[in-house]
Amino acid sequence: MPSLGLLRRAFLLVLVAACGSHGSQQAPLQHPPASNDSSVSVELFVELEELARIVDISYCVGSTGLGIQKPFQCLSRCSEFDNFELVATWNTGPLLADSCGYIALSHPPSPPRIVLAFRGTYSLTNTIVDLSTVPQEYVPYPGDDDDGDDGVPSDFISPHQPSPSFSRGNRIDDDDNDNPPPANPPKCENCTVHMGFYSSWLNTRKVILPDLTQAIYDYPDYQLTLVGHSLGGAVAALAGLDFLARGWDPRVTTFGEPRIGNKELMDYTNTRFNITSPTHKNTNKFHRVTHANDPVPLLPLSEWGYTMHSEEIFISAPSLPPSLADLHHCVGDEDPHCIAGTDSEAPSWGIPTRFKFWELFFAHRDYFWRLGLCVPGGDPKDWYRKYPKPSDGDGEDVEGAQEVTEL
């Protein structure tokens, strides 16, 4: 049961965000909802806003300074999450697709979660190059990279279940048990995946699976929660498919996720996450958040055989901060009322949305907050925001949260 402080903070968050749109220069809704039932629930709005801050912290990994330190400290938003406990960080480096992120535990009274946050790339050059590589065949886990030197699958293909006497703090070893979780995913017929994104995930999972497997055994009742921004969103999506095949139950949210594969892979993703039914839009376990004018969700190009998967949530307001009314559930894989429709509009200055690479510094980072800079309070542009400041746990210091400081 969430604490009174958390509930009050959530209520104020939505109230202030909704009211703030009347006092700021928000552009009118450019893309009318595909139906009268496209609105996002208050609960989902609060969840997405929090996840945007959680993934913003991942930009402290691999940056200058101290990064993220235990128990959960950094130069960015770590102080906003009093109940988080850092498990591990990873940074594969630019030679292994530049994957960075962290694993953390969210303890009660916060929602009990095992959080994996996947960072986007800092490099504009890498972004454009990574979005231009050729597709390769997609083979659902288990994959060849998990085989040992003797050709026998590693423990991470069939991770050992702990014995009844297994207790938190003890490391999993070969003597615990020989009963793996289900690991027999359906075949993905004619599926192709972006080579760079897939390589990034294969390199990442070798690094994170030991700590992640241990955390899942230590906290079996915690929700496995994946969140990624930009290229990290693509890696989070592939990680979610992998974890489903291991018998785990991931909840995935991506911000500015690029297209990761062909239509067959997107259909496979929709089926595996059971996100084809619009009747469960507020309870689906995969949310793909896009933002007006963001070119990355339109890349790689459809002419190269790439497309999107379902459960898109579109932020129609081009500027910060968005209100509850600015978020819309989209219909199908490429709803023309959402991000897919922006590319068919009359291009500004003769340039279609998908080629507006300067928006990598603006619209592509504007997901509830200006993401991507590890400094106190996030990006300095955030300091004038109208969202409530985090409380000390009892909800009593949100007074004055609606004050505006102009820079």
Side-chain angles (χ1 to χ4, degrees):
M1 177 69 66
S3 67
L4 180 60
L6 289 174
L7 289 174
R8 182 180 178 185
R9 210 184 333 166
F11 174 76
L12 283 175
L13 169 66
V14 177
L15 179 63
V16 173
C19 294
S21 63
H22 297 288
S24 60
Q25 296 299 317
Q26 293 281 0
L29 178 62
Q30 295 178 330
H31 305 282
S35 72
N36 292 328
D37 193 28
S38 69
S39 59
V40 171
S41 69
V42 170
E43 293 78 11
L44 182 55
F45 182 96
V46 172
E47 176 186 340
L48 295 176
E49 185 279 327
E50 182 188 51
L51 288 170
R53 288 183 283 127
I54 288 173
V55 78
D56 192 26
I57 293 171
S58 68
Y59 282 90
C60 291
V61 180
S63 64
T64 58
L66 299 177
I68 308 176
Q69 303 294 316
K70 294 184 177 182
F72 195 68
Q73 299 173 333
C74 64
L75 293 177
S76 183
R77 306 180 183 277
C78 292
S79 61
E80 299 174 17
F81 298 94
D82 294 337
N83 302 310
F84 272 38
E85 174 189 350
L86 180 66
V87 174
T89 63
W90 77 86
N91 184 354
T92 63
L95 296 180
L96 293 176
D98 193 21
S99 174
C100 289
Y102 67 90
I103 306 173
L105 301 171
S106 170
H107 297 297
S110 296
R113 295 168 290 183
I114 300 171
V115 175
L116 273 75
F118 298 83
R119 197 199 77 183
T121 181
Y122 276 121
S123 169
L124 174 62
T125 303
N126 286 351
T127 299
I128 297 175
V129 170
D130 286 346
L131 292 175
S132 303
T133 55
V134 297
Q136 69 177 60
E137 180 184 5
Y138 175 75
V139 179
Y141 148 91
D144 292 339
D145 69 296
D146 272 331
D147 290 350
D149 295 336
D150 56 358
V152 177
S154 72
D155 286 347
F156 302 124
I157 284 286
S158 300
H160 298 292
Q161 293 279 27
S163 65
S165 61
F166 184 84
S167 61
R168 179 174 181 252
N170 294 329
R171 299 300 299 180
I172 302 168
D173 58 42
D174 290 340
D175 297 327
D176 285 321
N177 209 308
D178 291 324
N179 298 318
N184 188 26
K187 183 175 176 58
C188 192
E189 298 285 351
N190 301 317
C191 294
T192 59
V193 63
H194 184 282
M195 181 168 32
F197 303 157
Y198 195 47
S199 175
S200 181
W201 165 237
L202 295 183
N203 289 314
T204 300
R205 78 178 182 185
K206 291 178 179 178
V207 175
I208 69 172
L209 276 176
D211 288 310
L212 177 60
T213 304
Q214 183 73 45
I216 291 173
Y217 286 152
D218 287 346
Y219 298 92
D221 296 329
Y222 279 35
Q223 173 68 58
L224 180 56
T225 302
L226 282 59
V227 58
H229 172 242
S230 188
L231 303 187
V235 179
L238 293 171
L241 288 173
D242 188 308
F243 296 161
L244 281 173
R246 296 174 189 271
W248 297 337
D249 183 28
R251 184 177 180 91
V252 183
T253 302
T254 65
F255 299 94
E257 174 194 332
R259 294 163 167 162
I260 62 175
N262 66 353
K263 185 179 187 304
E264 286 77 8
L265 180 57
M266 298 302 96
D267 290 343
Y268 182 82
T269 301
N270 292 338
T271 300
R272 293 292 285 151
F273 278 95
N274 193 28
I275 56 176
T276 56
S277 174
T279 60
H280 299 99
K281 62 185 181 182
N282 286 317
T283 58
N284 278 332
K285 292 188 177 180
F286 199 129
H287 294 110
R288 178 172 63 89
V289 186
T290 63
H291 181 238
N293 300 324
D294 184 355
V296 172
L298 300 169
L299 298 171
L301 301 178
S302 58
E303 291 88 340
W304 299 345
Y306 290 90
T307 185
M308 307 175 189
H309 59 81
S310 295
E311 198 45 37
E312 176 184 1
I313 296 176
F314 181 58
I315 303 176
S316 60
S319 58
L320 294 174
S323 70
L324 182 62
D326 296 321
L327 272 67
H328 313 279
H329 285 283
C330 306
V331 178
D333 292 352
E334 299 199 5
D335 190 335
H337 297 96
C338 297
I339 193 67
T342 62
D343 211 36
S344 60
E345 296 177 339
S348 57
W349 300 310
I351 302 175
T353 298
R354 56 184 172 168
F355 296 131
K356 296 177 181 177
F357 291 120
W358 63 86
E359 291 289 0
L360 291 170
F361 301 103
F362 302 102
H364 182 52
R365 295 173 57 201
D366 289 351
Y367 284 90
F368 293 91
W369 307 87
R370 178 66 57 84
L371 307 180
L373 188 61
C374 181
V375 297
D379 192 297
K381 286 281 288 182
D382 290 341
W383 293 347
Y384 72 90
R385 296 297 303 282
K386 297 183 179 181
Y387 287 137
K389 296 179 176 60
S391 70
D392 60 4
D394 59 8
E396 293 304 322
D397 61 346
V398 294
E399 183 176 356
Q402 301 184 42
E403 295 178 358
V404 178
T405 301
E406 297 292 345
L407 295 180

